[in-house]
């Protein structure tokens, strides 16, 4: 029959596709107006969008074009869910109607309707950025039914070997199947890969039944779409299915069965995407190397790995959790650049995302000691490439690249990290001034990160530098028009917190000045977001306590009253919380004023602020610091108070292991006769809770050390044996004694006295042997760190109390002191102990001073004698 043919541009390609307007089935829709989906204006709008001109949809014409202006308005309307529902419901109704009428319609009419519906659905998910995946999924299910109905008819025709006068045998299924499979790939259906392959397998069967007719052959596009569906799905063994399809393509092509399924870079990239989504970097690396080998042998541009290939490889390393992922990603980036320099193919130019991922890998990898520096090196590489390529917008660094590097320096907490972070900010400002690119404009976040870098740097002038950046930030963003860039109190709070934690002299005055300034600019700019809040005043309280200014407790109380008055007026958010009150509690605890701490906790309960475990622990510390005679008893009463509060419903008041340790320490300082039995009872409660399943109560060296201190200070004759028994049980909790624990046992030995009887003499000899064994262990076991000043101090008293012969005693004391000098552990406590255990003349001879010297200080002795003394105020029971 005569056919009238016309050509129309094919969407997404530069070739043309023939559209039959005669008796044969149409292959693709001509760019002619389609029948309206509904009579109302909204459906008209949706139809115009779906079948509008390509240039208008992609906004390639001038900004003043009225058509594009209308398209933009249509996109805005389509972004509303109701408009999607109208369009989707119309298509669903038409599809269901065709499926219901399939038995009454003639084959030719049915085929035409099915084909038109498939193209209509394809138009919907052709704009996947505007269409939610759930909507695409609904359409993909219906399109799958339509394509299977079409394939059923074709299979029946092939099996019956009938000739269709309507011309259905001449229908090309490939573009229709690609539309259906693409819909499945873009949907959120669970088994989209398997469903896509079922369509592909049926086309393979029809192709085999037809005897190899080219118009019925599956093509590379179908395979690529199916592999893409598998790569985006969460199905089991999805990557294996992708590889299997890729190898099937190669087998079909190499055997000559189907020359239209030649594997290309698109197929390999889909498999790479599957590996990247699952973090399988090793297989992704092998696949990219295979692509390079194939390209090298055939010199076929369709097989050359492109930017997507290497980007997928880099993303695979990103998700692989490999310890050297950052280095591997940079190697892939370097290989990408080498290929670009060798071929000049712009498809190999990396983009902003590729560089950004490589930088983020260096920054986020804890195994990279120089992660921030390496990220900065890649950033410089990107800037250089951007300048060499005439400021290509795809290579233009963005604020996120600079933020990544600044984050890396801020989190590294190195000595020069803050300085480096600020230099990155300056580099960003210079590049913005040079290019004028808006993506390079420093934003609010950049300055906040630099301020945080100074706060975390522990630099002696960290607070001053942070405030300097804050002042500069204020001059840039205080009057910003963009609401996201306007100043708020967050950077101010970071700076005030830095001042508060510094403990520097005058820090509380600086915070008070900042608070006044915040209130002033909040009034002038009518910006309540910049006004000081609860966090700001809490920092002020912390500064007052840490700095210990005169009358700081009264000033803290005044600040809390100020917060309460603001909360009662019109700023409910200013009501002091548990953290704010804890600042004042800490101040009272440092002064050992347990009564005020307890009174403040009662006041908080009246204000309906539930006390927490931390607050009660502060009270316990205050009781221990008070040095009152009944401190241990009072601490145990507070512990029971905590238990009652927790049982009454206060979930935040459960006693912690720190609460029990503090009570045991209070017993160690007391002189109660039953202190050891009470300490053992508290220790038994800790063990009971741990064995009951509470891992937070697992006994550690802090618990063991506290109980050992109580044992060492007790009056029991067998306290050394009790201490050794405690040490022997450490392995039950996976612990090993450290030097601090052994020093406590030495202290117990030093407090053992000779009573004058034969039994006492034997006991003293046994204790002396224990002390000697511990001393030898400390000096021989390097993991323990050797004997320290506390060890020698205790040993001097051991020798004085347990060596009965005077000559041997003095010789042992002299030998101990000389070893202490050799080890560089002489401090003021050792000198004081030496003075207590040796006669005057013997003491002056040992310290090599004349008796007329007066008081001997460590500074008067050779510096080598004290070279290894630890300058620590406190010793930790925890293993170092």
């Amino acid at each position: 029959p005569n056919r009238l043919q016309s050509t129309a541009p094919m969407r997404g390609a530069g070739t043309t596709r023939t559209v039959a307007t005669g008796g044969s089935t149409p292959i693709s829709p001509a760019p002619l107006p389609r029948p309206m989906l509904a009579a109302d204006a909204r459906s008209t709008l949706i139809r115009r969008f779906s079948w509008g001109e390509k240039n208008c949809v992609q906004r390639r014409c001038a900004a003043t074009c009225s058509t594009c202006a209308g398209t933009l308005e249509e996109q805005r309307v389509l972004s509303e869910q109701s408009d999607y529902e109208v369009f989707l419901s119309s298509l669903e109704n038409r599809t269901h109607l065709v499926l219901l009428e399939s038995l009454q319609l003639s084959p030719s009419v049915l085929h035409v309707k099915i084909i038109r519906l498939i193209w209509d659905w394809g138009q919907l998910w052709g704009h996947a950025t505007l269409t939610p995946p759930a909507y695409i999924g609904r359409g993909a299910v219906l399109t799958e039914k339509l394509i299977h109905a079409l394939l059923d008819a074709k299979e029946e025709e092939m099996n019956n070997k009938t000739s269709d006068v309507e011309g259905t045998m001449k229908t090309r299924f490939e573009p229709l199947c690609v539309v259906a499979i693409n819909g499945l790939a873009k949907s959120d259906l669970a088994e989209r890969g398997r469903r896509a392959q079922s369509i592909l397998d049926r086309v393979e069967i029809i192709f085999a039944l037809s005897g190899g007719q080219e118009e019925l052959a599956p093509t590379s596009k179908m395979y690529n779409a199916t592999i893409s569906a598998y790569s985006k799905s969460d199905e089991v063994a999805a990557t294996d299915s992708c590889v299997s399809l890729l190898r099937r393509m190669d087998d079909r092509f190499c055997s000559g069965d189907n020359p239209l399924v030649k594997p290309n870079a698109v197929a390999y990239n889909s498999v790479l995407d599957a590996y990247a989504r699952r973090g399988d970097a090793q297989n992704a690396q092998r696949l990219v190397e295979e692509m390079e080998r194939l390209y090298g042998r055939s010199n076929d541009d369709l097989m050359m790995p492109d930017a997507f290939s290497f980007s997928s490889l880099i993303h695979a390393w990103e998700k692989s959790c490999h310890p050297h992922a950052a280095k591997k990603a940079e190697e892939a980036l370097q290989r990408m650049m080498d290929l670009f320099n060798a071929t000049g193919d712009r498809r190999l130019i990396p983009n902003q995302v590729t560089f950004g991922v490589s930088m983020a890998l260096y920054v986020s990898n804890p195994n990279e000691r120089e992660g921030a520096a390496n990220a900065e090196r890649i950033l410089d590489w990107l800037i250089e490439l951007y300048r060499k390529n005439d400021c290509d917008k795809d290579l233009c660094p963005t604020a996120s690249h600079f933020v990544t590097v600044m984050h890396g320096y801020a989190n590294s907490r190195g000595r020069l990290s803050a300085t480096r972070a600020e230099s990155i900010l300056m580099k960003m400002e210079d590049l913005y001034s040079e290019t004028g690119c808006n993506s390079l404009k420093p934003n609010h976040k950049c300055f906040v990160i630099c301020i945080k870098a100074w706060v975390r740097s522990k630099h002696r002038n960290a607070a001053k530098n942070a405030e300097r950046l804050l002042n500069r930030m204020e001059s840039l963003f205080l009057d910003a028009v963009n609401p996201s860039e306007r100043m708020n109190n967050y950077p101010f709070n970071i700076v005030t917190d830095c001042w508060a934690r510094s403990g520097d002299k005058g820090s509380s005055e600086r915070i008070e000045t900042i608070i006044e300034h915040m209130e002033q600019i909040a009034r002038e700019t009518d910006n309540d977001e910049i006004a000081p809040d609860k966090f700001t005043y809490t920092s002020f309280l912390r500064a007052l306590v840490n700095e210990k200014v005169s009358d700081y407790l009264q000033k803290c109380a005044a600040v809390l009253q100020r917060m309460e008055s603001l909360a009662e007026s019109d700023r409910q958010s200013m009501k002091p919380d548990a953290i704010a009150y804890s600042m004042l509690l800490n101040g009272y605890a440092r002064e050992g004023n347990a009564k005020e701490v307890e009174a403040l906790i009662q006041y908080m309960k009246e204000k309906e602020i539930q006390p927490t475990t931390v607050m009660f622990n502060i009270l316990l510390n205050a009781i221990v610091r008070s040095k009152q005679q009944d401190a241990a008893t009072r601490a145990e009463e507070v512990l029971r108070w905590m238990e009652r509060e927790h049982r009454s419903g206060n979930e935040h008041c459960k006693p912690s292991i720190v609460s029990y340790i503090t009570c045991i320490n209070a017993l160690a300082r007391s002189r109660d006769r039953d202190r050891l039995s009470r300490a053992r009872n508290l220790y038994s409660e800790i063990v009971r809770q741990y064995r009951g399943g509470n891992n937070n109560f697992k006994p550690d060296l802090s618990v063991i050390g506290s109980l050992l201190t109580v044992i060492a200070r007790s009056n029991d004759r067998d306290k050394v044996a009790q201490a050794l028994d405690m040490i022997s049980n450490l392995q039950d909790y996976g612990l090993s004694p450290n030097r601090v624990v052994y020093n406590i046992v030495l202290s117990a030995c030093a407090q053992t006295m000779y009573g004058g009887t034969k039994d006492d003499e034997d006991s003293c000899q046994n204790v002396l042997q224990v002390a000697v064994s511990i001393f030898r262990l400390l000096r021989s076991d390097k993991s323990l760190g050797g004997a320290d000043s506390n060890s020698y101090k205790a040993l001097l008293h051991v020798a004085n109390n347990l060596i009965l012969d005077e000559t041997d005693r003095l010789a042992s004391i002299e030998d101990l002191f000389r070893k202490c000098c050799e080890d560089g552990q002489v401090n003021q406590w050792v000198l004081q102990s030496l003075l207590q255990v040796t006669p005057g003349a013997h003491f002056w001879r040992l310290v090599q001073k004349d008796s007329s010297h007066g008081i001997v200080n460590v500074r008067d002795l050779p510096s080598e004698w004290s070279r290894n003394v630890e300058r620590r105020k406190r010793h930790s029971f925890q293993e170092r």
Side-chain angles (χ1 to χ4, degrees):
N2 295 328
R3 296 178 181 176
L4 179 64
Q5 296 185 343
S6 63
T7 59
M10 179 179 175
R11 186 176 296 273
T15 59
T16 61
R17 174 175 289 179
T18 301
V19 180
T21 58
S24 62
T25 304
I27 296 175
S28 63
L32 300 174
R34 289 291 183 185
M36 293 183 60
L37 304 177
D40 59 357
R42 176 173 291 178
S43 296
T44 304
L45 184 63
I46 297 170
R47 184 186 60 77
R48 284 177 54 205
F49 170 74
S50 299
W51 297 97
E53 291 295 327
K54 177 179 179 181
N55 286 344
C56 290
V57 172
Q58 297 188 358
R59 287 178 284 177
R60 293 180 179 175
C61 53
T64 56
C65 174
S66 59
T67 306
C68 270
T71 303
L72 293 175
E73 177 62 21
E74 292 168 2
Q75 291 179 2
R76 186 189 67 79
V77 175
L78 278 171
S79 65
E80 300 178 5
Q81 184 176 357
S82 58
D83 294 324
Y84 281 116
E85 289 287 353
V86 171
F87 188 34
L88 187 63
S89 298
S90 175
L91 277 177
E92 286 178 334
N93 293 336
R94 288 171 55 201
T95 303
H96 287 302
L97 184 63
V98 169
L99 292 174
L100 288 174
E101 295 176 347
S102 59
L103 298 178
Q104 290 79 24
L105 296 176
S106 64
S108 60
V109 174
L110 178 63
H111 290 168
V112 170
K113 287 181 174 290
I114 288 177
I115 292 170
R116 285 184 174 179
L117 279 172
I118 291 175
W119 284 111
D120 285 351
W121 281 113
Q123 290 294 327
L124 176 69
W125 52 67
H127 305 285
T129 56
L130 298 176
T131 309
Y135 289 1
I136 296 179
R138 289 163 61 181
V141 171
L142 292 174
T143 308
E144 183 185 14
K145 293 180 180 180
L146 291 172
I147 201 70
H148 278 297
L150 202 61
L151 294 174
D152 287 340
K154 178 56 65 177
E155 280 188 1
E156 182 179 0
E157 178 183 335
M158 300 298 298
N159 291 328
N160 295 333
K161 301 185 182 299
T162 59
S163 176
D164 190 337
V165 297
E166 304 283 352
T168 56
M169 275 287 290
K170 300 178 181 179
T171 302
R172 187 173 177 86
F173 290 101
E174 181 263 346
L176 303 173
C177 293
V178 170
V179 170
I181 295 174
N182 278 333
L184 291 168
K186 294 179 180 180
S187 71
D188 56 357
L189 298 176
E191 296 182 338
R192 61 188 109 169
R194 182 187 59 80
R195 300 169 82 152
Q197 186 169 354
S198 68
I199 298 175
L200 175 64
D201 291 342
R202 294 198 65 184
V203 175
E204 289 272 18
I205 293 172
I206 292 174
F207 175 61
L209 291 174
S210 69
Q213 293 185 25
E214 182 177 344
E215 61 185 7
L216 299 177
T219 63
S220 297
K221 285 185 178 181
M222 288 183 64
Y223 274 92
N224 295 344
T226 306
I227 294 173
S228 178
Y230 267 120
S231 70
K232 296 174 182 178
S233 72
D234 297 327
E235 299 173 63
V236 179
T239 52
D240 294 339
S241 299
C242 290
V243 175
S244 176
L245 287 171
L246 179 64
R247 302 310 175 201
R248 194 163 99 182
M249 290 178 69
D250 189 54
D251 292 342
R252 296 279 195 277
F253 176 75
C254 293
S255 64
D257 293 343
N258 187 357
L260 301 179
V261 293
K262 180 181 180 182
N264 52 26
V266 177
Y268 278 86
N269 286 345
S270 297
V271 181
L272 282 172
D273 183 53
Y275 285 136
R277 290 172 183 269
R278 292 154 182 83
D280 192 350
Q282 300 291 346
N283 282 320
Q285 180 76 44
R286 284 191 282 268
L287 199 61
V288 170
E289 293 172 356
E290 180 182 337
M291 292 178 71
E292 291 190 54
R293 287 195 301 271
L294 292 173
Y295 172 67
R297 288 200 299 262
S298 64
N299 201 26
D300 185 359
D301 285 346
L302 296 178
M303 279 305 304
M304 183 177 68
D306 54 15
F308 186 88
S309 311
F310 287 99
S311 297
S312 297
L313 175 58
I314 291 173
H315 280 290
W317 284 116
E318 178 189 15
K319 292 188 176 183
S320 67
C321 299
H322 193 278
H324 303 295
K327 187 178 295 185
K328 295 288 186 181
E330 186 179 359
E331 289 175 0
L333 186 61
Q334 183 62 59
R335 178 58 182 161
M336 189 176 178
M337 287 302 304
D338 292 343
L339 283 174
F340 168 69
N341 294 330
T343 63
D345 195 321
R346 294 191 63 83
R347 290 177 295 175
L348 283 163
I349 294 183
N351 54 24
Q352 304 158 329
V353 178
T354 312
F355 280 94
V357 172
S358 300
M359 286 188 283
L361 275 174
Y362 271 119
V363 169
S364 61
N365 193 343
N367 298 316
E368 295 290 344
R369 298 184 60 182
E370 300 295 330
N374 287 322
E376 183 181 2
R377 177 170 48 78
I378 295 178
L379 175 63
D380 292 338
W381 184 9
L382 175 60
I383 294 173
E384 180 184 1
L385 193 63
Y386 171 63
R387 286 171 172 159
K388 283 184 177 180
N389 286 272
D390 300 326
C391 297
D392 187 348
K393 65 178 182 179
D394 291 334
L395 291 171
C396 179
T398 64
S400 62
H401 295 99
F402 289 89
V403 166
T404 298
V405 181
M406 286 189 284
H407 256 307
Y409 280 118
N411 294 331
S412 66
R413 303 173 188 266
R415 188 169 58 90
L416 300 176
S417 59
T419 305
R420 294 301 309 152
E422 192 168 351
S423 69
I424 297 297
L425 177 61
M426 296 173 63
K427 184 185 297 185
M428 183 181 182
E429 290 179 304
D430 293 341
L431 192 60
Y432 172 65
S433 301
E434 174 186 341
T435 63
C437 182
N438 286 331
S439 63
L440 286 168
K441 183 178 180 180
N443 54 28
H444 188 275
K445 187 176 182 180
C446 299
F447 283 88
V448 170
I449 293 173
C450 285
I451 291 173
K452 286 183 177 180
W454 278 112
V455 171
R456 296 172 180 174
S457 67
K458 297 182 180 180
H459 192 276
R460 58 182 302 178
N461 294 321
K464 292 181 180 178
N465 286 300
E467 188 174 356
R468 171 179 54 80
L469 274 177
L470 175 64
N471 294 333
R472 185 156 168 249
M473 182 181 179
E474 182 182 337
S475 64
L476 292 172
F477 299 104
L478 184 61
D479 300 322
V481 177
N482 189 349
S484 63
E485 296 294 334
R486 292 189 67 187
M487 287 284 290
N488 53 31
N489 56 24
Y490 180 64
F492 288 91
N493 287 341
I494 297 174
V495 175
T496 54
D497 185 62
C498 183
W499 274 115
R501 297 181 186 276
S502 69
D504 295 344
K505 186 177 181 180
S507 59
S508 58
E509 294 181 4
R510 286 301 314 147
I511 295 177
E512 189 173 10
T513 303
I514 292 173
I515 290 175
E516 293 174 355
H517 178 63
M518 292 172 69
E519 291 175 342
Q520 178 183 352
I521 59 178
R523 290 192 301 268
E524 293 176 353
T525 61
D526 195 22
N527 183 6
D528 292 336
E529 293 183 357
I530 209 170
D533 59 7
K534 180 166 49 182
F535 188 90
T536 319
Y537 280 97
T538 303
S539 297
F540 188 24
L541 290 168
R542 180 179 281 110
L544 290 170
V545 174
N546 289 345
E547 191 182 355
K548 289 186 178 181
V549 296
S550 59
D551 301 328
Y552 72 96
L553 293 176
Q554 290 79 0
K555 292 181 179 179
C556 287
V559 173
L560 285 171
Q561 290 178 0
R562 166 71 174 162
M563 296 174 69
E564 290 175 352
S565 62
L566 288 172
E568 291 173 358
S569 57
D570 58 345
R571 297 172 63 182
Q572 291 295 326
S573 61
M574 289 297 297
K575 182 180 180 181
D577 57 6
I579 299 176
Y581 282 108
S582 295
M583 298 298 108
L584 184 55
L585 289 173
N586 273 320
Y588 285 130
R590 288 185 179 183
E591 301 295 329
N593 196 339
K595 291 183 179 180
E596 290 293 341
V597 174
E598 186 173 355
L600 187 56
I601 290 177
Q602 293 290 1
Y603 175 75
M604 291 170 57
K605 293 187 68 176
E606 294 175 2
K607 291 287 186 179
E608 298 181 352
I609 298 176
Q610 292 294 334
T612 63
T613 301
V614 174
M615 293 180 181
F616 277 106
N617 287 343
I618 292 172
L619 175 57
L620 288 171
N621 280 320
I623 292 172
V624 174
R625 288 172 178 266
S626 67
K627 299 180 181 179
Q628 294 179 355
Q629 188 174 357
D630 62 340
T633 303
R634 187 74 190 95
E636 289 182 275
E637 291 175 355
V638 172
L639 183 64
R640 305 312 168 197
W641 182 13
M642 293 176 68
E643 293 174 348
R644 290 194 302 272
E645 285 285 334
H646 182 256
R647 286 195 298 269
S648 64
N650 186 355
E651 294 293 333
H652 304 289
C653 194
K654 184 178 181 180
S656 65
I657 193 172
V658 176
S659 311
Y660 285 91
I661 293 173
T662 308
C663 289
I664 296 175
N665 288 335
L667 288 167
R669 296 188 179 192
S670 74
R671 296 186 178 182
D672 297 343
R673 291 189 176 184
D674 60 343
R675 60 182 181 271
L676 181 55
S677 61
R678 289 155 61 186
R680 287 189 178 278
N681 290 336
L682 292 172
Y683 176 74
S684 298
E685 290 187 37
I686 294 174
V687 173
R688 178 178 56 79
Q689 295 207 43
Y690 170 64
R691 290 177 178 171
N694 190 346
N695 290 327
N696 293 327
F697 275 78
K698 180 181 179 180
D700 57 8
L701 290 181
S702 297
V703 179
I704 304 299
S706 298
L707 183 56
L708 283 174
T709 303
V710 181
I711 294 173
R713 295 178 181 178
S714 69
N715 297 324
D716 290 7
R717 300 292 296 174
D718 62 339
K719 57 185 175 184
V720 175
Q722 294 182 44
L724 293 177
D725 184 60
M726 286 288 300
I727 292 177
S728 65
N729 293 328
L730 286 178
Q731 59 184 359
D732 295 342
Y733 308 108
L735 301 174
S736 299
N738 61 7
R739 183 171 60 188
V740 177
V741 171
Y742 282 122
N743 284 345
I744 297 175
V745 181
L746 289 176
S747 177
C749 296
Q751 296 179 50
T752 302
M753 305 297 293
Y754 174 61
T757 65
K758 178 62 177 174
D759 293 339
D760 289 336
E761 184 176 350
D762 293 340
S763 177
C764 288
Q765 289 301 315
N766 292 334
V767 173
L768 181 60
Q769 290 299 324
V770 171
V772 172
S773 300
I774 292 176
F775 178 59
R776 289 174 178 171
L777 179 63
L778 288 173
R779 298 203 77 195
S780 61
D781 193 343
K782 294 182 179 180
S783 64
L784 296 173
D788 64 358
S789 302
N790 290 323
S791 309
Y792 283 105
K793 172 191 170 184
L795 285 164
L796 288 173
H797 287 286
V798 169
N800 184 63
N801 296 336
L802 301 180
I803 300 178
L804 304 181
D805 185 77
E806 182 177 1
T807 304
D808 293 342
R809 180 170 65 250
L810 292 177
S812 298
I813 290 173
E814 181 175 352
D815 183 59
L816 283 171
F817 184 71
R818 293 193 185 283
K819 284 184 170 62
C820 184
C821 295
E822 291 174 4
D823 292 344
Q825 294 291 347
V826 178
N827 65 2
Q828 203 63 36
W829 293 105
V830 172
L831 285 178
Q832 184 176 349
S833 299
L834 181 65
L835 181 61
Q836 292 172 357
V837 301
T838 56
H842 198 70
F843 172 79
W844 295 113
R845 182 172 61 82
L846 288 176
V847 299
Q848 301 177 6
K849 296 292 180 182
D850 189 79
S851 58
S852 61
H853 185 275
I855 299 175
V856 180
N857 196 289
V858 175
R859 292 189 296 270
D860 301 328
L861 304 178
S863 59
E864 293 81 5
W865 290 8
S866 58
R867 66 185 182 278
N868 294 324
V869 174
E870 294 183 2
R871 302 293 192 267
R872 294 184 179 180
K873 294 182 179 181
R874 294 182 180 180
H875 295 278
S876 172
F877 289 114
Q878 298 297 331
E879 291 177 298
R880 289 184 286 272

